[in-house]
Amino acid sequence: MLSRASSLWFLALLLVGCKHVPTDKEREGAEIHYELALQAQRLGNVQDAYKELQKSLELNPDYPEAHHVIGILLHLSFNRPEEAIAHYQKALALRPSFSEAKTNLANVYLSQARYDEAIPLYEQALNDMLYPTPFIAQSNLGWALYKKGDKERAVQNIKAAVTVNPSFCLGYRNLGTIYEESGELSEACRYLGRYREACPDVADAHLREGACLAKQGKMEEAKQSFTTCEAKATSQNLKDDCHRLLEAL
């Protein structure tokens, strides 16, 4: 007869062996719900996107793309970072070479100031020759390095990112911020100007460049920046900030 311990071990093996494997029909259904989620996300319907992803994962719990996208929604739309981390980690367990998931997991860690966990993930994504948007990982790697105190490597990485993608607004903004916080106003204004050139319809770009110009004593140029900022602002808070700074001049 089997001992009690052996019986439990045998039962555990049976349970593992009984894990449900999605049928072809279930996989197809999971893909359909995933595509519906992407459509809803593109339209800004994040609740509908989330519901479709839940349905997708109910049909196929081992669908890495669905785990990845639901992680994005949980992090950026619902502000539930720990749940997002769990889904990104599941996606990577299912597909270890999933560079987009590595970058987005690192983004959560970056937002939590967990730089030592974020940096290796960005570096791994950058080693993937097939990763389609390396400038995102490289710029965020630079920002993580800057927050850790390594300004030189930070600037190198972010400059490399905007070289790869000259219209990458966040890269220019971060370079402007780094130089401004370092007291290098000339360089700060130069990169904030590049931010405004790359993203002329973004009110924040005009606001930041205007504030930098004001610090340089270029009041007429700063006024023009704040005026444009107020005209382009889509939120009342930002519009009020632009107006307040314009009035202060």
Side-chain angles (χ1 to χ4, degrees), residues 103-243:
T103 296
N104 284 320
L105 175 57
N107 290 344
V108 183
Y109 291 146
L110 179 60
S111 71
Q112 297 177 326
R114 295 163 65 177
Y115 307 122
D116 289 330
E117 293 169 88
I119 287 170
L121 289 166
Y122 289 133
E123 291 173 336
Q124 289 170 35
L126 288 170
N127 284 329
D128 179 2
M129 299 295 289
L130 300 178
Y131 179 38
T133 55
F135 59 91
I136 295 174
Q138 189 136 39
S139 178
N140 288 353
L141 169 61
W143 189 250
L145 289 167
Y146 173 64
K147 299 303 285 186
K148 278 201 71 179
D150 191 343
K151 177 191 167 186
E152 183 177 353
R153 287 180 62 206
V155 168
Q156 288 174 355
N157 276 280
I158 302 174
K159 284 184 176 179
V162 295
T163 298
V164 171
N165 183 358
S167 62
F168 186 40
C169 302
L170 179 61
Y172 294 122
R173 190 183 79 179
N174 284 346
L175 284 169
T177 300
I178 290 171
Y179 283 119
E180 190 168 19
E181 290 180 353
S182 302
E184 300 175 66
L185 274 184
S186 179
E187 283 295 282
C189 290
R190 184 164 78 88
Y191 280 103
L192 291 172
R194 295 287 300 277
Y195 174 30
R196 184 254 310 152
E197 290 169 4
C199 310
D201 293 326
V202 176
D204 177 72
H206 297 277
L207 175 65
R208 290 175 184 266
E209 185 183 25
C212 193
L213 291 167
K215 288 180 181 179
Q216 285 187 312
K218 299 178 179 180
M219 298 306 177
E220 289 304 316
E221 294 174 61
K223 286 180 182 178
Q224 182 58 50
S225 293
F226 294 141
T227 300
T228 305
C229 171
E230 186 176 6
K232 291 183 177 292
T234 56
S235 75
Q236 191 58 49
N237 285 342
L238 183 55
K239 189 179 289 288
D240 290 343
D241 286 342
C242 300
H243 184 76

Side-chain angles (χ1 to χ4, degrees), residues 34 53 57 62-70 91 94-95 98:
Y34 174 73
L53 290 166
L57 289 171
D62 293 337
Y63 194 175
E65 289 83 358
H67 282 290
H68 176 234
V69 176
I70 205 169
L94 293 165
R95 195 205 299 173
F98 199 165

Side-chain angles (χ1 to χ4, degrees), residues 9-50:
W9 177 79
F10 183 68
L11 178 60
L13 283 179
L14 285 175
L15 291 173
V16 170
C18 291
K19 178 183 177 182
H20 174 68
V21 177
T23 64
D24 289 344
K25 184 176 181 180
E26 287 171 329
R27 290 179 186 277
E28 183 180 347
E31 291 176 7
I32 290 170
H33 285 295
Y34 174 73
E35 291 298 329
L36 290 171
L38 295 184
Q39 291 177 24
Q41 185 184 27
R42 282 192 289 268
L43 294 171
N45 299 327
V46 293
Q47 286 83 6
D48 289 345
Y50 184 75

